[in-house]
Amino acid sequence: MKNNRNNLVKFLILVSFIYLSLLPCFACGTGIGNLKVYVIDDSTDEIIEGAYVNIILGETEIEKTTNEYGYSYFISLNSGNYDISVKANNYISDHVEAWVCENETETIEIKLKSSPEPDEEDIIIRDLKISPSTICMDEDKRIDISLQIELEEGNDVEFTVKFYLYDGDDWDYLGKEKRTLNEDDERTFDVIYNYNANSFDRGLYEIKAEIEYNDVEKTDYAHLQIRDCDEEESNDYEESEYSDFKISSIYLDPIYPILGEMNIVRVLIRPEKNIEKYQTIRVEAWIDGKPERYENIDFGYMEFSKTFEFAFDTSHYGIGYHTITIVLISQNGISENKKTFQILQERPDYSTIIEANQKHCLRINSINVLNAPVKKGDRSEISIIVENCGTYMERNIILELNNGGKTLSDSFELRNGEKREIIFRVDNSETEDLIFKLWNGYNNLEETYELVTYSGILYIELEPIYIICNNEDNIIRLYVKNTGRVKDKFEIVFPEDIARWLKDYPETIELEGGESRTIELILRPALDSDKDKIEFIVKTEESETIIELKIEVKETPSTIIEVTQSPADQWFVFSNITIQKVAITTFVLLLLLIVVLLMWVLYKLLKEHRLHLKKEEKVREIPADSKEEIVSVNSHRQ
């Protein structure tokens, strides 16, 4: 009987465990819900932007990346227990499970630990190379995609490189290669991509290499340019009418390199107009028709210029004249700039290579805004570095800024090789292009500089929908952030029909660049409201943006019904669908428990019946003469 009681206790514990496991399933229902995943650094609590969040429920699988605030949103999901995995570069991947319930938004915070990786100087991952990097869209072409990795320190490090091509909708897997490197090993990981004619339209396509080693993941990108060669006048690189970026002059340092020294090349890349969305361009450097260097440069919103810089060894090219070609490939076209230079045997006397009237040399070395970024209407401090690049002392030098009225510097002098910084203060409310003129008795040159001003950009984080009640005060909290680079004031303007709803809201918000805040709107919709959205305008001195809140207005329960209800009725009104489902679940499990107990009782009766039958069989097996002996012995004793 004691064993039977123990078995019964174990069985009841098992049933309770099953009940508790199934309880969330019944409580969440089978409707539609939302999921918000927040990813941060485990040690610093800093947000992780660009982390990959993958959720799976049955055959449903969705992947998104976290935004600049560390969030990834999944809306209109079927209720259920989702398998969530998160991975990010330089972090150890993590995996959790979460329930998404009907008409609810589940928020999950995931902290990723930094992955142990070798010191940067131990692993050298070179640029992703594509050959050829530009093809005609109507030709079949074999494209070699490669990535070189060098292990400076360590042994038996296994590297896996996977290659992908983005076709505009998704990443197409091109293949992978796996190799083990020892110390001082250098290997090239490559795949072959066979492009079929007319597979893609004209444009710039991204190619990605994912590098995995020692639980570390790194990513490198390059671009494949597909051209419509039939519409272009020639296959040579030339400035396209669609090009939206400009290559400035090519600068060499030193100007006259000698054989065997490193020479630095600098080029300024400028967009022809303000960048309104994120863009990536490819800049290639060719010397004497041979590729020397390439780089992918990212331009964000309102970024004005960036520098492409590289160094090369003059001993690779020899004494004489050579040509540097800078090629810029953007989404809208191709542009090019060239410069011819000379490599000398030894550093010469400049008088042997410069004419008599060229011994005097002045140049503007650099122009920078010291207090950048600058808001329109504020005063800019412009720093100009003037250099004596000749062999004579230059006297009576004047630097003139001509932007409507003339602003002159005091005259000064420079020895050969000497530099001087001059600062102008400019009111940039009306200024776009600044023209600097540098002159004295032997030199006269000018340079144009475009002064860029900035304004604040208000980002507002919105929920998919806000549920509010009519004729009742509703609080809507909005997370706002100035994603611009300068401090700005934002004005919030509601239309008249919505303004009647509002009881309290901030009419202006002033935020520093990068500053964030939570604001509250208190509104009370009218009883007869049938609106499904609220629109308001966010204004700055330079911009105006329309923000739309999607709303669902529900009727407020009548107070008269509440007064006439009995306590029992109030209880049933208070009970919601979740409690009903729990009650139904409990009733079903009790029925199941009763059935199991009846089966257990039946089992015990059958077991006792079998034991009784066995005893009867043993009695039948005793021989007849044994019984007689027992009887006679008993008689004798009597």
mmCIF file of all heavy atoms in Angstrom, residues 319-358:
data_model
loop_
_atom_site.group_PDB
_atom_site.id
_atom_site.type_symbol
_atom_site.label_atom_id
_atom_site.label_comp_id
_atom_site.label_asym_id
_atom_site.label_seq_id
_atom_site.Cartn_x
_atom_site.Cartn_y
_atom_site.Cartn_z
ATOM 1 N N ILE A 319 61.784 54.696 -62.446
ATOM 2 C CA ILE A 319 62.032 56.099 -62.762
ATOM 3 C C ILE A 319 61.273 56.478 -64.028
ATOM 4 O O ILE A 319 61.187 55.712 -64.983
ATOM 5 C CB ILE A 319 63.548 56.334 -62.943
ATOM 6 C CG1 ILE A 319 64.292 55.998 -61.641
ATOM 7 C CG2 ILE A 319 63.847 57.758 -63.382
ATOM 8 C CD1 ILE A 319 65.796 56.013 -61.778
ATOM 9 N N GLY A 320 60.743 57.710 -64.029
ATOM 10 C CA GLY A 320 60.041 58.197 -65.207
ATOM 11 C C GLY A 320 58.662 58.722 -64.867
ATOM 12 O O GLY A 320 58.305 58.907 -63.700
ATOM 13 N N TYR A 321 57.893 58.967 -65.934
ATOM 14 C CA TYR A 321 56.553 59.524 -65.773
ATOM 15 C C TYR A 321 55.521 58.396 -65.663
ATOM 16 O O TYR A 321 55.608 57.377 -66.377
ATOM 17 C CB TYR A 321 56.209 60.428 -66.955
ATOM 18 C CG TYR A 321 56.932 61.755 -66.911
ATOM 19 C CD1 TYR A 321 58.153 61.914 -67.565
ATOM 20 C CD2 TYR A 321 56.413 62.832 -66.206
ATOM 21 C CE1 TYR A 321 58.845 63.131 -67.519
ATOM 22 C CE2 TYR A 321 57.080 64.051 -66.152
ATOM 23 C CZ TYR A 321 58.296 64.189 -66.815
ATOM 24 O OH TYR A 321 58.971 65.385 -66.757
ATOM 25 N N HIS A 322 54.536 58.615 -64.790
ATOM 26 C CA HIS A 322 53.486 57.628 -64.548
ATOM 27 C C HIS A 322 52.156 58.352 -64.404
ATOM 28 O O HIS A 322 52.114 59.573 -64.191
ATOM 29 C CB HIS A 322 53.781 56.812 -63.294
ATOM 30 C CG HIS A 322 55.127 56.144 -63.308
ATOM 31 N ND1 HIS A 322 55.346 54.918 -63.871
ATOM 32 C CD2 HIS A 322 56.338 56.579 -62.843
ATOM 33 C CE1 HIS A 322 56.612 54.593 -63.739
ATOM 34 N NE2 HIS A 322 57.242 55.589 -63.117
ATOM 35 N N THR A 323 51.064 57.593 -64.493
ATOM 36 C CA THR A 323 49.725 58.183 -64.427
ATOM 37 C C THR A 323 48.898 57.485 -63.351
ATOM 38 O O THR A 323 48.788 56.251 -63.332
ATOM 39 C CB THR A 323 48.998 58.067 -65.774
ATOM 40 O OG1 THR A 323 49.763 58.741 -66.774
ATOM 41 C CG2 THR A 323 47.617 58.701 -65.702
ATOM 42 N N ILE A 324 48.323 58.289 -62.461
ATOM 43 C CA ILE A 324 47.370 57.800 -61.454
ATOM 44 C C ILE A 324 45.966 58.079 -61.968
ATOM 45 O O ILE A 324 45.660 59.193 -62.404
ATOM 46 C CB ILE A 324 47.567 58.491 -60.097
ATOM 47 C CG1 ILE A 324 48.913 58.112 -59.495
ATOM 48 C CG2 ILE A 324 46.448 58.108 -59.129
ATOM 49 C CD1 ILE A 324 49.175 58.790 -58.166
ATOM 50 N N THR A 325 45.096 57.051 -61.921
ATOM 51 C CA THR A 325 43.695 57.210 -62.306
ATOM 52 C C THR A 325 42.817 56.849 -61.118
ATOM 53 O O THR A 325 42.950 55.757 -60.550
ATOM 54 C CB THR A 325 43.338 56.312 -63.499
ATOM 55 O OG1 THR A 325 44.208 56.606 -64.594
ATOM 56 C CG2 THR A 325 41.896 56.543 -63.932
ATOM 57 N N ILE A 326 41.955 57.765 -60.726
ATOM 58 C CA ILE A 326 41.000 57.523 -59.644
ATOM 59 C C ILE A 326 39.629 57.336 -60.282
ATOM 60 O O ILE A 326 39.137 58.220 -60.991
ATOM 61 C CB ILE A 326 40.961 58.678 -58.639
ATOM 62 C CG1 ILE A 326 42.359 58.930 -58.058
ATOM 63 C CG2 ILE A 326 39.961 58.385 -57.524
ATOM 64 C CD1 ILE A 326 42.919 57.780 -57.253
ATOM 65 N N VAL A 327 39.013 56.188 -60.040
ATOM 66 C CA VAL A 327 37.708 55.856 -60.607
ATOM 67 C C VAL A 327 36.704 55.760 -59.466
ATOM 68 O O VAL A 327 36.940 55.077 -58.467
ATOM 69 C CB VAL A 327 37.754 54.529 -61.397
ATOM 70 C CG1 VAL A 327 36.375 54.208 -61.953
ATOM 71 C CG2 VAL A 327 38.770 54.621 -62.513
ATOM 72 N N LEU A 328 35.572 56.431 -59.602
ATOM 73 C CA LEU A 328 34.512 56.433 -58.588
ATOM 74 C C LEU A 328 33.268 55.783 -59.182
ATOM 75 O O LEU A 328 32.777 56.215 -60.228
ATOM 76 C CB LEU A 328 34.222 57.862 -58.144
ATOM 77 C CG LEU A 328 33.279 58.055 -56.957
ATOM 78 C CD1 LEU A 328 33.643 59.331 -56.218
ATOM 79 C CD2 LEU A 328 31.835 58.127 -57.405
ATOM 80 N N ILE A 329 32.769 54.735 -58.519
ATOM 81 C CA ILE A 329 31.593 54.003 -58.994
ATOM 82 C C ILE A 329 30.485 54.172 -57.966
ATOM 83 O O ILE A 329 30.600 53.728 -56.824
ATOM 84 C CB ILE A 329 31.902 52.503 -59.200
ATOM 85 C CG1 ILE A 329 33.097 52.327 -60.140
ATOM 86 C CG2 ILE A 329 30.687 51.775 -59.744
ATOM 87 C CD1 ILE A 329 33.593 50.909 -60.226
ATOM 88 N N SER A 330 29.408 54.830 -58.369
ATOM 89 C CA SER A 330 28.257 55.019 -57.488
ATOM 90 C C SER A 330 27.042 54.355 -58.116
ATOM 91 O O SER A 330 27.109 53.788 -59.214
ATOM 92 C CB SER A 330 27.991 56.512 -57.253
ATOM 93 O OG SER A 330 27.571 57.125 -58.452
ATOM 94 N N GLN A 331 25.924 54.434 -57.427
ATOM 95 C CA GLN A 331 24.702 53.800 -57.924
ATOM 96 C C GLN A 331 24.223 54.435 -59.222
ATOM 97 O O GLN A 331 23.560 53.799 -60.022
ATOM 98 C CB GLN A 331 23.602 53.892 -56.861
ATOM 99 C CG GLN A 331 23.910 53.103 -55.600
ATOM 100 C CD GLN A 331 22.833 53.251 -54.558
ATOM 101 O OE1 GLN A 331 21.882 54.000 -54.732
ATOM 102 N NE2 GLN A 331 22.969 52.538 -53.452
ATOM 103 N N ASN A 332 24.554 55.712 -59.430
ATOM 104 C CA ASN A 332 24.037 56.424 -60.588
ATOM 105 C C ASN A 332 25.063 56.650 -61.688
ATOM 106 O O ASN A 332 24.779 57.359 -62.655
ATOM 107 C CB ASN A 332 23.476 57.787 -60.150
ATOM 108 C CG ASN A 332 22.270 57.629 -59.253
ATOM 109 O OD1 ASN A 332 21.516 56.676 -59.406
ATOM 110 N ND2 ASN A 332 22.084 58.529 -58.320
ATOM 111 N N GLY A 333 26.253 56.085 -61.574
ATOM 112 C CA GLY A 333 27.206 56.259 -62.658
ATOM 113 C C GLY A 333 28.647 56.152 -62.211
ATOM 114 O O GLY A 333 28.959 55.759 -61.091
ATOM 115 N N ILE A 334 29.551 56.528 -63.137
ATOM 116 C CA ILE A 334 30.984 56.391 -62.944
ATOM 117 C C ILE A 334 31.646 57.717 -63.294
ATOM 118 O O ILE A 334 31.291 58.364 -64.279
ATOM 119 C CB ILE A 334 31.560 55.278 -63.837
ATOM 120 C CG1 ILE A 334 30.877 53.939 -63.510
ATOM 121 C CG2 ILE A 334 33.067 55.155 -63.674
ATOM 122 C CD1 ILE A 334 31.195 52.851 -64.491
ATOM 123 N N SER A 335 32.597 58.156 -62.474
ATOM 124 C CA SER A 335 33.383 59.339 -62.796
ATOM 125 C C SER A 335 34.856 59.024 -62.585
ATOM 126 O O SER A 335 35.206 58.046 -61.922
ATOM 127 C CB SER A 335 32.939 60.534 -61.948
ATOM 128 O OG SER A 335 33.017 60.219 -60.572
ATOM 129 N N GLU A 336 35.731 59.886 -63.153
ATOM 130 C CA GLU A 336 37.157 59.577 -63.187
ATOM 131 C C GLU A 336 37.975 60.855 -63.142
ATOM 132 O O GLU A 336 37.534 61.914 -63.602
ATOM 133 C CB GLU A 336 37.459 58.800 -64.481
ATOM 134 C CG GLU A 336 38.924 58.576 -64.755
ATOM 135 C CD GLU A 336 39.139 58.051 -66.159
ATOM 136 O OE1 GLU A 336 38.821 56.875 -66.402
ATOM 137 O OE2 GLU A 336 39.611 58.819 -67.012
ATOM 138 N N ASN A 337 39.170 60.752 -62.554
ATOM 139 C CA ASN A 337 40.129 61.851 -62.576
ATOM 140 C C ASN A 337 41.530 61.253 -62.716
ATOM 141 O O ASN A 337 41.789 60.162 -62.187
ATOM 142 C CB ASN A 337 40.030 62.692 -61.305
ATOM 143 C CG ASN A 337 40.608 64.072 -61.481
ATOM 144 O OD1 ASN A 337 41.153 64.402 -62.543
ATOM 145 N ND2 ASN A 337 40.504 64.895 -60.453
ATOM 146 N N LYS A 338 42.429 61.977 -63.419
ATOM 147 C CA LYS A 338 43.776 61.471 -63.678
ATOM 148 C C LYS A 338 44.812 62.507 -63.292
ATOM 149 O O LYS A 338 44.546 63.710 -63.290
ATOM 150 C CB LYS A 338 43.944 61.100 -65.150
ATOM 151 C CG LYS A 338 43.094 59.927 -65.610
ATOM 152 C CD LYS A 338 43.392 59.575 -67.060
ATOM 153 C CE LYS A 338 42.573 58.372 -67.515
ATOM 154 N NZ LYS A 338 42.877 57.992 -68.913
ATOM 155 N N LYS A 339 46.014 62.029 -62.972
ATOM 156 C CA LYS A 339 47.148 62.911 -62.697
ATOM 157 C C LYS A 339 48.433 62.224 -63.137
ATOM 158 O O LYS A 339 48.646 61.046 -62.837
ATOM 159 C CB LYS A 339 47.230 63.254 -61.207
ATOM 160 C CG LYS A 339 48.356 64.234 -60.860
ATOM 161 C CD LYS A 339 48.378 64.508 -59.374
ATOM 162 C CE LYS A 339 49.464 65.516 -59.020
ATOM 163 N NZ LYS A 339 49.146 66.858 -59.537
ATOM 164 N N THR A 340 49.275 62.944 -63.851
ATOM 165 C CA THR A 340 50.582 62.440 -64.271
ATOM 166 C C THR A 340 51.646 62.973 -63.322
ATOM 167 O O THR A 340 51.639 64.152 -62.958
ATOM 168 C CB THR A 340 50.895 62.873 -65.707
ATOM 169 O OG1 THR A 340 49.888 62.351 -66.580
ATOM 170 C CG2 THR A 340 52.251 62.349 -66.151
ATOM 171 N N PHE A 341 52.569 62.093 -62.895
ATOM 172 C CA PHE A 341 53.632 62.493 -61.974
ATOM 173 C C PHE A 341 54.938 61.840 -62.418
ATOM 174 O O PHE A 341 54.950 60.947 -63.282
ATOM 175 C CB PHE A 341 53.292 62.098 -60.535
ATOM 176 C CG PHE A 341 53.259 60.606 -60.302
ATOM 177 C CD1 PHE A 341 54.338 59.946 -59.734
ATOM 178 C CD2 PHE A 341 52.144 59.850 -60.659
ATOM 179 C CE1 PHE A 341 54.307 58.577 -59.526
ATOM 180 C CE2 PHE A 341 52.105 58.479 -60.451
ATOM 181 C CZ PHE A 341 53.195 57.844 -59.888
ATOM 182 N N GLN A 342 56.046 62.282 -61.800
ATOM 183 C CA GLN A 342 57.367 61.781 -62.174
ATOM 184 C C GLN A 342 58.079 61.217 -60.958
ATOM 185 O O GLN A 342 58.086 61.821 -59.881
ATOM 186 C CB GLN A 342 58.209 62.912 -62.782
ATOM 187 C CG GLN A 342 59.581 62.453 -63.284
ATOM 188 C CD GLN A 342 60.404 63.600 -63.835
ATOM 189 O OE1 GLN A 342 60.049 64.758 -63.650
ATOM 190 N NE2 GLN A 342 61.501 63.295 -64.509
ATOM 191 N N ILE A 343 58.681 60.026 -61.121
ATOM 192 C CA ILE A 343 59.531 59.418 -60.093
ATOM 193 C C ILE A 343 60.984 59.686 -60.485
ATOM 194 O O ILE A 343 61.410 59.374 -61.609
ATOM 195 C CB ILE A 343 59.261 57.910 -59.963
ATOM 196 C CG1 ILE A 343 57.812 57.666 -59.521
ATOM 197 C CG2 ILE A 343 60.224 57.270 -58.964
ATOM 198 C CD1 ILE A 343 57.436 56.199 -59.436
ATOM 199 N N LEU A 344 61.751 60.270 -59.539
ATOM 200 C CA LEU A 344 63.133 60.671 -59.809
ATOM 201 C C LEU A 344 64.110 59.723 -59.137
ATOM 202 O O LEU A 344 63.769 59.005 -58.187
ATOM 203 C CB LEU A 344 63.355 62.099 -59.311
ATOM 204 C CG LEU A 344 62.379 63.160 -59.866
ATOM 205 C CD1 LEU A 344 62.561 64.463 -59.145
ATOM 206 C CD2 LEU A 344 62.556 63.317 -61.361
ATOM 207 N N GLN A 345 65.348 59.741 -59.618
ATOM 208 C CA GLN A 345 66.397 58.895 -59.056
ATOM 209 C C GLN A 345 66.803 59.390 -57.671
ATOM 210 O O GLN A 345 67.015 58.618 -56.750
ATOM 211 C CB GLN A 345 67.614 58.875 -59.989
ATOM 212 C CG GLN A 345 68.808 58.087 -59.453
ATOM 213 C CD GLN A 345 68.514 56.589 -59.337
ATOM 214 O OE1 GLN A 345 67.952 56.001 -60.257
ATOM 215 N NE2 GLN A 345 68.869 55.979 -58.219
ATOM 216 N N GLU A 346 66.915 60.697 -57.497
ATOM 217 C CA GLU A 346 67.304 61.284 -56.224
ATOM 218 C C GLU A 346 66.645 62.651 -56.100
ATOM 219 O O GLU A 346 66.176 63.224 -57.078
ATOM 220 C CB GLU A 346 68.827 61.405 -56.117
ATOM 221 C CG GLU A 346 69.441 62.224 -57.224
ATOM 222 C CD GLU A 346 70.961 62.254 -57.148
ATOM 223 O OE1 GLU A 346 71.539 61.480 -56.357
ATOM 224 O OE2 GLU A 346 71.550 63.055 -57.866
ATOM 225 N N ARG A 347 66.629 63.157 -54.873
ATOM 226 C CA ARG A 347 66.000 64.441 -54.646
ATOM 227 C C ARG A 347 66.799 65.524 -55.355
ATOM 228 O O ARG A 347 67.979 65.742 -55.068
ATOM 229 C CB ARG A 347 65.936 64.734 -53.153
ATOM 230 C CG ARG A 347 65.075 65.924 -52.810
ATOM 231 C CD ARG A 347 63.589 65.573 -52.864
ATOM 232 N NE ARG A 347 63.247 64.596 -51.848
ATOM 233 C CZ ARG A 347 62.185 63.787 -51.910
ATOM 234 N NH1 ARG A 347 61.383 63.832 -52.958
ATOM 235 N NH2 ARG A 347 61.951 62.925 -50.950
ATOM 236 N N PRO A 348 66.189 66.247 -56.291
ATOM 237 C CA PRO A 348 66.949 67.207 -57.090
ATOM 238 C C PRO A 348 66.938 68.602 -56.479
ATOM 239 O O PRO A 348 66.222 68.872 -55.518
ATOM 240 C CB PRO A 348 66.185 67.214 -58.412
ATOM 241 C CG PRO A 348 64.764 67.007 -57.977
ATOM 242 C CD PRO A 348 64.807 66.133 -56.742
ATOM 243 N N ASP A 349 67.744 69.465 -57.080
ATOM 244 C CA ASP A 349 67.636 70.892 -56.815
ATOM 245 C C ASP A 349 66.431 71.382 -57.604
ATOM 246 O O ASP A 349 66.358 71.201 -58.819
ATOM 247 C CB ASP A 349 68.921 71.601 -57.273
ATOM 248 C CG ASP A 349 68.856 73.102 -57.009
ATOM 249 O OD1 ASP A 349 67.818 73.546 -56.485
ATOM 250 O OD2 ASP A 349 69.821 73.802 -57.337
ATOM 251 N N TYR A 350 65.446 71.955 -56.894
ATOM 252 C CA TYR A 350 64.209 72.322 -57.568
ATOM 253 C C TYR A 350 64.439 73.250 -58.750
ATOM 254 O O TYR A 350 63.632 73.305 -59.665
ATOM 255 C CB TYR A 350 63.239 72.972 -56.564
ATOM 256 C CG TYR A 350 62.557 71.965 -55.683
ATOM 257 C CD1 TYR A 350 63.002 71.751 -54.384
ATOM 258 C CD2 TYR A 350 61.491 71.217 -56.153
ATOM 259 C CE1 TYR A 350 62.392 70.826 -53.575
ATOM 260 C CE2 TYR A 350 60.865 70.281 -55.348
ATOM 261 C CZ TYR A 350 61.317 70.095 -54.058
ATOM 262 O OH TYR A 350 60.716 69.174 -53.245
ATOM 263 N N SER A 351 65.543 73.965 -58.741
ATOM 264 C CA SER A 351 65.795 74.877 -59.853
ATOM 265 C C SER A 351 66.003 74.137 -61.156
ATOM 266 O O SER A 351 65.865 74.703 -62.234
ATOM 267 C CB SER A 351 67.026 75.745 -59.552
ATOM 268 O OG SER A 351 68.181 74.925 -59.385
ATOM 269 N N THR A 352 66.332 72.817 -61.091
ATOM 270 C CA THR A 352 66.540 72.049 -62.316
ATOM 271 C C THR A 352 65.237 71.544 -62.917
ATOM 272 O O THR A 352 65.224 71.104 -64.067
ATOM 273 C CB THR A 352 67.462 70.848 -62.039
ATOM 274 O OG1 THR A 352 66.808 69.985 -61.100
ATOM 275 C CG2 THR A 352 68.790 71.306 -61.461
ATOM 276 N N ILE A 353 64.174 71.554 -62.142
ATOM 277 C CA ILE A 353 62.917 71.022 -62.664
ATOM 278 C C ILE A 353 61.813 72.065 -62.686
ATOM 279 O O ILE A 353 60.718 71.794 -63.130
ATOM 280 C CB ILE A 353 62.456 69.815 -61.820
ATOM 281 C CG1 ILE A 353 62.272 70.214 -60.359
ATOM 282 C CG2 ILE A 353 63.411 68.654 -61.957
ATOM 283 C CD1 ILE A 353 61.691 69.112 -59.511
ATOM 284 N N ILE A 354 62.118 73.273 -62.158
ATOM 285 C CA ILE A 354 61.113 74.331 -62.153
ATOM 286 C C ILE A 354 61.642 75.505 -62.949
ATOM 287 O O ILE A 354 62.801 75.896 -62.822
ATOM 288 C CB ILE A 354 60.794 74.778 -60.709
ATOM 289 C CG1 ILE A 354 60.368 73.579 -59.861
ATOM 290 C CG2 ILE A 354 59.715 75.846 -60.697
ATOM 291 C CD1 ILE A 354 60.105 73.913 -58.432
ATOM 292 N N GLU A 355 60.822 76.050 -63.779
ATOM 293 C CA GLU A 355 61.211 77.226 -64.549
ATOM 294 C C GLU A 355 61.424 78.412 -63.608
ATOM 295 O O GLU A 355 60.992 78.414 -62.462
ATOM 296 C CB GLU A 355 60.117 77.556 -65.567
ATOM 297 C CG GLU A 355 59.867 76.453 -66.587
ATOM 298 C CD GLU A 355 61.082 76.232 -67.479
ATOM 299 O OE1 GLU A 355 61.859 77.183 -67.674
ATOM 300 O OE2 GLU A 355 61.228 75.098 -67.974
ATOM 301 N N ALA A 356 62.094 79.446 -64.162
ATOM 302 C CA ALA A 356 62.450 80.597 -63.329
ATOM 303 C C ALA A 356 61.229 81.225 -62.694
ATOM 304 O O ALA A 356 61.245 81.610 -61.527
ATOM 305 C CB ALA A 356 63.205 81.623 -64.163
ATOM 306 N N ASN A 357 60.117 81.341 -63.424
ATOM 307 C CA ASN A 357 58.922 81.964 -62.863
ATOM 308 C C ASN A 357 58.118 81.032 -61.971
ATOM 309 O O ASN A 357 57.084 81.404 -61.476
ATOM 310 C CB ASN A 357 58.034 82.502 -63.984
ATOM 311 C CG ASN A 357 57.548 81.394 -64.896
ATOM 312 O OD1 ASN A 357 58.002 80.264 -64.780
ATOM 313 N ND2 ASN A 357 56.636 81.731 -65.799
ATOM 314 N N GLN A 358 58.610 79.811 -61.762
ATOM 315 C CA GLN A 358 57.931 78.860 -60.893
ATOM 316 C C GLN A 358 58.696 78.617 -59.592
ATOM 317 O O GLN A 358 58.307 77.782 -58.807
ATOM 318 C CB GLN A 358 57.736 77.516 -61.623
ATOM 319 C CG GLN A 358 56.753 77.588 -62.778
ATOM 320 C CD GLN A 358 56.579 76.244 -63.451
ATOM 321 O OE1 GLN A 358 57.549 75.502 -63.604
ATOM 322 N NE2 GLN A 358 55.363 75.921 -63.838
#
